[in-house]
Amino acid sequence: QKEVEQNSGPLSVPEGAIASLNCTYSDRGSQSFFWYRQYSGKSPELIMSIYSNGDKEDGRFTAQLNKASQYVSLLIRDSQPSDSATYLCAGDSSYKLIFGSGTRLLVRP
Amino acid sequence: NAGVMQNPRHLVRRRGQEARLRCSPMKGHSHVYWYRQLPEEGLKFMVYLQKENIIDESGMPKERFSAEFPKEGPSILRIQQVVRGDSAAYFCASSPPTGQTNEQFFGPGTRLTVL
């Protein structure tokens, strides 16, 4: 069964620190990977997509992909209390997305 | 509002009733996906539709659940004879036509409670 694995957390970091979120996937056929942020009681919000090996930066967010290791990560620089949420990692599998169970991030003021 | 629209936002049904959830994709998007999120669990794919076609329904329970995306109007996820285990948040997502990005954007969800 195709799976995406994430540590459920919570990951607790102080305000201003770098938060590092990780995910591994089992389907070598996956080509596209996505990070979504989900606040409690709300819907997932797409924050990053990555398609090729290496790093992709967008503002305070950097996504990293290593297809050989089947590993995806998200770095959040200068973490803010408003970043406190659950972060969902997803990989594509023939159009549909396979989601991890999410990592809960808590940014302490 | 150019985002994905879902209604109703909250739906309460008694066991045995029918639930009908609606989704209108983002403007310019022709692909619709339905996902279910059970309490304290991750998002699980249910079905992928294009206009008038079900492309992949591998995640949908074989009984009681059906989905459609007619030529005109929103996509509908229909749950017949609901049971308590159907209580969950149901999210619809949409993406642009094939060949463009496969990024999926989610609607606000319908939270179904079965009494």
Side-chain angles (χ1 to χ4, degrees):
Chain A
Q1 185 171 342
K2 299 169 184 175
E3 293 184 336
V4 173
E5 300 283 346
Q6 293 182 259
N7 188 321
S8 61
L11 172 66
S12 180
V13 300
E15 184 174 354
I18 296 175
S20 177
L21 304 160
N22 306 309
C23 129
T24 59
Y25 61 93
S26 64
D27 183 8
R28 285 197 173 273
S30 293
Q31 297 295 316
S32 309
F33 299 89
F34 307 92
W35 284 99
Y36 287 83
R37 178 175 61 198
Q38 186 175 27
Y39 293 110
S40 180
K42 302 296 185 182
S43 64
E45 175 191 5
L46 180 64
I47 55 173
M48 287 289 284
S49 55
I50 187 164
Y51 304 98
S52 54
N53 280 328
D55 295 359
K56 179 182 176 183
E57 186 174 319
D58 183 1
R60 295 187 297 113
F61 299 100
T62 299
Q64 299 172 319
L65 173 60
N66 183 326
K67 291 187 178 180
S69 301
Q70 297 176 249
Y71 177 89
V72 192
S73 67
L74 179 70
L75 299 177
I76 307 174
R77 288 180 298 280
D78 188 23
S79 296
Q80 301 297 308
S82 59
D83 295 326
S84 297
T86 296
Y87 289 80
L88 305 173
C89 173
D92 73 330
S93 177
S94 300
Y95 303 111
K96 65 189 177 209
L97 296 182
I98 306 296
F99 282 87
S101 56
T103 298
R104 193 156 65 92
L105 173 66
L106 177 63
V107 181
R108 307 186 306 271
Chain B
N1 185 351
V4 179
M5 298 174 66
Q6 290 187 250
N7 66 80
R9 298 287 298 273
H10 299 275
L11 184 60
V12 179
R13 286 286 178 266
R14 298 191 179 280
R15 282 178 295 170
Q17 292 184 319
E18 177 180 289
R20 193 171 290 232
L21 289 60
R22 289 177 289 279
C23 168
S24 296
M26 283 179 73
K27 189 175 181 180
H29 286 192
S30 55
H31 298 191
V32 167
Y33 312 80
W34 286 92
Y35 293 85
R36 177 166 66 175
Q37 189 171 38
L38 293 167
E40 305 303 322
E41 291 190 16
L43 282 156
K44 301 295 185 188
F45 167 80
M46 299 182 73
V47 61
Y48 161 41
L49 310 104
Q50 296 178 21
K51 282 287 187 182
E52 300 184 281
N53 282 304
I54 297 174
I55 308 302
D56 181 349
E57 56 182 348
S58 59
M60 204 147 71
K62 295 285 188 285
E63 297 178 356
R64 304 188 297 109
F65 286 72
S66 62
E68 62 176 3
F69 190 14
K71 187 177 180 181
E72 302 290 337
S75 175
I76 306 286
L77 178 67
R78 184 176 174 217
I79 311 172
Q80 295 178 289
Q81 299 176 328
V82 296
V83 300
R84 288 216 173 112
D86 296 332
S87 295
Y90 292 83
F91 292 101
C92 168
S94 71
S95 66
T98 305
Q100 301 182 29
T101 173
N102 61 346
E103 292 177 339
Q104 295 181 19
F105 298 89
F106 282 78
T110 294
R111 279 150 185 83
L112 173 65
T113 301
V114 180
L115 301 178

